[in-house]
Amino acid sequence: MAAVEQTTVRETVRRIWADDVLPSLSGLVEIPALSPAFDTEWAATGHLDAAIAHVKGWLEARQIPGATVRVVRLEGRTPVLLLDVPATPSAEDRGTVLLYGHLDKQPPVGGWAEGLGPWKPVVRDGRLYGRGSADDGYAGYAATAALESIHAADGAHARAVVLLETGEESGSPDLPAYLDELSDFLGDVSFVVCLDSGGQDYERLWLTTSLRGLVQVRVTVRVLESGQHSGLASGVVPSSFRVLRLLLDRLEDPATGELKLPELNVDIPANRVEEATRTAESVASMSTAFPLAGSTRPVTEDSLEQLLNNSWRPTLSVLGAAGLPDPAEAGNVLRDSTTLALGFRLPPTADSAAALAAIEKVLTTDVPYSATVELSGLEYADGWNAPATAPWLSAALDHVGEAVFAAPSRSVGLGGSIPFMGLLGEKYPNAQFLVTGALGPDSNAHVPDEWLHLDQAQRVTEAVAHILDAHARG
């Protein structure tokens, strides 16, 4: 099926990673390019611009025939870096391949292991440690190396545009404007490759076929104008915490964690259940990936149910709280109010706006004791469900499973949200999607000791090269 020559692709990818990618990616780790949500003065601090300049310099030094590099800046928005590579002669009618990545990063957070740090690149035991190494600084490098390996092996690819944004960790608020601005430039996008994902192990290519949507809301229950002595007021004035607990019980079954509102639930598509069943047969329980404390048990021991819970069923997490003093400083006070930050993960095909409206209604209607309820920080985003896989892509996945990984690829729904995927799905309804990456369950994205599995990143790069060649040949 795949005409591109296997050995040359592999050798080229490994040479580029060892000689060119790893040194430059290590330099990128050193740049504290916080996403705008975590650095509101990003334009003044200049770290996002430094990341753009760093990768731009690396791209300009590559020798891909006809390739051009440019930075696009819309007024008041974070910049975007573009690599535009013309199609090989046999693939000029195959539209545009959009290869996506991002250069902005999560905050450093404390608690990194000895010898490690967020802005300190360290290679240890086949891993590159540092913030942004795996999420998702490597993506632009991998996409470019894949294209270079295709040329080295006399393969084919359609016109390819590598787009690296700098606001993904803030929810990609500027990406819609850039996609509108670049609509004519991008042309007919027939294939989207996103390397901002991963899977359950480092032994195969993992495909993300769905992403959950989200709703976030801060709910405050207020019962007093000011706190009162608990010995005097309790039993007369209701506890704001108890009112909140009653409201939460309207949303969530406290024994099972199941969410009760129909707007937050969907029927799981049969093909996604089949995928999850195959994945459950290939990997250990998801609970082994998390540091459960003491004798804590997972919600369910069944691997299939874990996968479906994490990808197609809604969940509620209490993300934060206010109005609750530290226990060591807590006096005998019936507090005036309690605030909880609630995070809902929604099934990929749920209507997030309808879900938010239903949540708002439940939290503000017939409130116990007629307590005052205030909602703030409202946010919602739809999930994404991949289109049916085209025959050429299915065959290419079978090929790389055998030739690159010696293990069949597997599909999984990602429990988190990547808001731009829903946007891209709406923008390019006729495109095929490959959402994959080198992240594993223990890669520590967003938390201390983030690391990139270097061998997996190289295998993913090699796989992308084969799949781009297959796309070009149809």
Side-chain angles (χ1 to χ4, degrees), residues 252-260 299 309:
E252 178 191 53
D253 185 319
T256 66
E258 295 178 8
L259 296 191
K260 299 177 179 180
V299 173
N309 282 349

Side-chain angles (χ1 to χ4, degrees), residues 234-271:
S234 62
V236 178
V237 178
S239 161
S240 60
F241 187 89
R242 184 161 64 87
V243 174
L244 258 176
R245 188 174 64 196
L246 292 169
L247 292 176
L248 293 183
D249 285 352
R250 296 177 177 182
L251 299 169
E252 178 191 53
D253 185 319
T256 66
E258 295 178 8
L259 296 191
K260 299 177 179 180
L261 304 185
E263 293 85 352
L264 276 63
N265 289 273
V266 303
D267 292 329
I268 306 175
N271 66 325

Side-chain angles (χ1 to χ4, degrees), residues 211-214 346-350 352 381-385 417-419 421-423:
L211 297 156
R212 286 196 288 187
L214 63 84
L346 305 179
T349 55
S352 62
D382 288 341
W384 171 77
N385 189 29
S417 304
I418 307 179
M421 286 309 306
L423 170 66

